[in-house]
Amino acid sequence: MIRSLRVLILQNHPMHRMIAVEQLRAMDCTQVYVARDGASALALLRTLGAVDVIICDMNMEGMDGLEFLRHVDESHLACGVILFNLMAADLRWSVQQLLALSGLKILGDLGQPMKLQSFAILLRQYIELRDGYIASDSTATNLPSLEMIQEGLCENMFKPFYQPKFNLSNFVPCGAEVLARWDHPVLGVLMPADFLPLIAKYDLLDELFAQIFEQGVAFQAHLLLRGYRLQLSYNLDAQQLLSLELAGRIKDILYRYALPATLVTFELLETGLIGDSRASMENMIRLRMMGCGLAIDDFGTGYSSLQRLCDFPFNQIKLDMHFISNMDLPVYRAAITSTLAMAKALNMTMIVEGVESDMQRRQLVQLGCTLGQGYWYAKPMAHLAMIQWLNEADTGCIKHF
């Protein structure tokens, strides 16, 4: 509850301090502390101890907000921060990006003047975030062990889930991404974050990929016999490309199920393609020669995007969802349109990740984008649910989230 929160207001303008205090008290927040500059705020925190949330003015005489929050982070004197300033939009965004590198949770930016409704929403979000962390900590001991993962691989417990991709204008599905899930008999369906780090650590990626890929290809072949050509994309780790047997194993599975290689695309994280490798390049070329597609995933998050597009035989770009979630900023809209223009010039397709609302979809269409993927359209689903979803898509009965 908001009443239980300890909140510090750091604001050098007396009127703004008073307004913030009144708004917090109107929300029944009783543990409110105030300071007018960074030095006095640090002294107060070192006396009081850590608070839940700091509402922080960034433009102050003497110690500015950035320096103050750096000291707060180093001394673990707060959990969340709400920014409160009059800076330009692009500078406010840069400040948020910088603070995101710290251990502080950036809850939002109120701007000025503050609105009571926004204030309350941000504080409630902090409470939900805090309670969520408590809940996740309490279940941490139930995470799977290496022995459980090995048993899961032996018993074929790992299953493919499918998240559809679609045409942004007419909503027609154009394929799906295959995502690994662990259907554990006791713990339920586990997400990749629960098992992938351990699988990578103990060099079990090839075993996991083999299970997911073969099940996905069998599913595609089943659909193909019924006249439905479903394009699927599979994730490959950069380390897997170092094996000169990779392309051959993929070719054998495709041959066994009589599935055209043109229905398969492999997505590689841009951040994983760090160094040039003869084996990696050979595998990528062989896959393309077979007819498979190659997509550079999370494009725009690495440090050598253009170099990788030039060096490796990609034919698809998947634009990272970070650009879509920040489309309100002109610099991100420019990045989207310029990436789309580059993809067209290179004769590549571009898929936009993270489409979560109809407003985002319409904005992307206005920018010239044609293909997307995201929760607004469909969440990842198991194969039986996917078959039902495809049937509904054919009849125009799809309901978007």
Side-chain angles (χ1 to χ4, degrees):
M1 296 176 60
I2 290 179
R3 184 181 182 84
S4 66
L5 294 182
R6 288 161 54 90
V7 181
L8 170 66
I9 300 168
L10 173 53
Q11 169 59 248
N12 66 354
H13 194 287
M15 181 62 69
H16 292 157
R17 282 202 306 273
M18 182 183 71
I19 292 172
V21 170
E22 289 178 352
Q23 290 187 347
L24 283 168
R25 288 177 177 166
M27 289 183 286
D28 204 26
C29 185
T30 57
Q31 300 183 74
V32 181
Y33 309 95
V34 296
R36 64 182 181 85
D37 58 60
S40 60
L42 277 178
L44 180 61
L45 287 173
R46 285 167 179 154
T47 300
L48 293 171
V51 296
D52 289 290
V53 177
I54 296 176
I55 301 166
C56 185
D57 188 357
M58 302 306 294
N59 293 320
M60 297 179 292
E61 294 182 1
M63 182 188 299
D64 62 30
L66 288 179
E67 183 181 356
F68 167 74
L69 291 176
R70 173 162 48 81
H71 290 304
V72 168
D73 181 38
E74 290 171 350
S75 301
H76 307 289
L77 294 173
C79 297
V81 176
I82 297 175
L83 302 181
F84 181 47
N85 58 76
L86 283 171
M87 293 185 293
D90 60 337
L91 187 54
R92 290 205 309 269
W93 173 250
S94 296
V95 168
Q96 291 183 49
Q97 294 299 99
L98 173 62
L99 294 177
L101 300 175
S102 71
L104 298 170
K105 305 302 177 186
I106 311 304
L107 305 176
D109 185 346
L110 290 174
Q112 290 184 1
M114 288 189 297
K115 295 181 180 179
L116 181 59
Q117 185 179 9
S118 299
F119 214 163
I121 290 172
L122 292 176
L123 291 177
R124 289 192 183 98
Q125 286 176 347
Y126 166 76
I127 293 173
E128 292 174 0
L129 184 68
R130 179 195 63 186
D131 293 346
Y133 280 134
I134 292 173
S136 64
D137 288 345
S138 66
T139 58
T141 56
N142 294 326
L143 291 179
S145 64
L146 173 61
E147 291 73 18
M148 292 168 65
I149 289 178
Q150 291 172 327
E151 180 185 2
L153 289 168
C154 290
E155 298 296 328
N156 293 310
M157 295 180 189
F158 292 90
K159 305 296 180 184
F161 273 48
Y162 308 92
Q163 185 175 27
K165 304 171 185 177
F166 69 106
N167 186 297
L168 292 165
S169 297
N170 59 22
F171 315 116
V172 173
C174 60
E177 179 179 359
V178 181
L179 302 163
R181 298 290 187 266
W182 186 358
D183 190 8
H184 194 279
V186 177
L187 301 178
V189 177
L190 299 180
M191 302 295 285
D194 296 323
F195 57 84
L196 271 186
L198 206 56
I199 280 183
K201 179 179 179 181
Y202 289 99
D203 296 324
L204 297 172
L205 282 171
D206 288 341
E207 288 86 343
L208 176 64
F209 172 76
Q211 286 192 16
I212 297 301
F213 183 61
E214 181 148 5
Q215 291 178 73
V217 168
F219 178 53
Q220 288 180 281
H222 171 79
L223 291 176
L224 191 60
L225 289 174
R226 284 155 180 76
Y228 201 104
R229 295 175 63 87
L230 182 66
Q231 175 82 36
L232 291 185
S233 60
Y234 300 82
N235 292 286
L236 274 178
D237 188 270
Q239 290 299 314
Q240 293 175 269
L241 290 174
L242 298 177
S243 171
L244 289 175
E245 299 175 354
L246 175 67
R249 290 198 300 267
I250 289 171
K251 186 176 183 178
D252 289 343
I253 293 174
L254 292 174
Y255 178 79
R256 197 170 351 126
Y257 288 92
L259 188 77
T262 53
L263 291 181
V264 174
T265 294
F266 296 101
E267 299 184 8
L268 294 103
L269 282 175
E270 174 192 354
T271 50
L273 300 171
I274 299 172
D276 294 334
S277 162
R278 182 186 178 97
S280 297
M281 182 68 79
E282 181 175 327
N283 269 317
M284 295 175 76
I285 293 173
R286 290 181 68 194
L287 290 172
R288 284 296 309 278
M289 289 173 62
M290 288 162 49
C292 301
L294 286 179
I296 183 167
D297 198 9
D298 292 349
F299 183 78
T301 59
Y303 297 101
S304 56
S305 306
L306 295 178
Q307 180 185 348
R308 294 307 166 202
L309 279 181
C310 295
D311 290 349
F312 293 100
F314 291 108
N315 62 344
Q316 185 181 108
I317 294 173
K318 292 196 73 178
L319 188 64
D320 187 70
M321 64 186 300
H322 179 75
F323 293 89
I324 285 64
S325 59
N326 296 294
M327 254 195 310
D328 290 339
L329 295 173
V331 64
Y332 281 91
R333 288 197 298 274
I336 293 170
T337 54
S338 62
T339 304
L340 178 61
M342 180 175 60
K344 289 180 178 178
L346 295 173
N347 197 29
M348 296 183 178
T349 57
M350 186 179 89
I351 295 178
V352 178
E353 297 181 287
V355 182
E356 297 185 351
S357 70
D358 187 52
M359 179 178 292
Q360 289 178 333
R361 180 196 67 80
R362 287 186 278 109
Q363 289 175 328
L364 289 167
V365 170
Q366 291 174 354
L367 294 176
C369 300
T370 57
L371 302 176
Q373 179 182 353
Y375 274 28
W376 174 80
Y377 187 63
K379 296 180 180 179
M381 61 193 87
H383 76 281
L384 290 178
M386 184 66 177
I387 291 174
Q388 181 180 352
W389 186 92
L390 289 169
N391 289 333
E392 292 174 352
D394 282 340
T395 59
C397 296
I398 291 296
K399 295 180 180 179
H400 307 299
F401 295 94

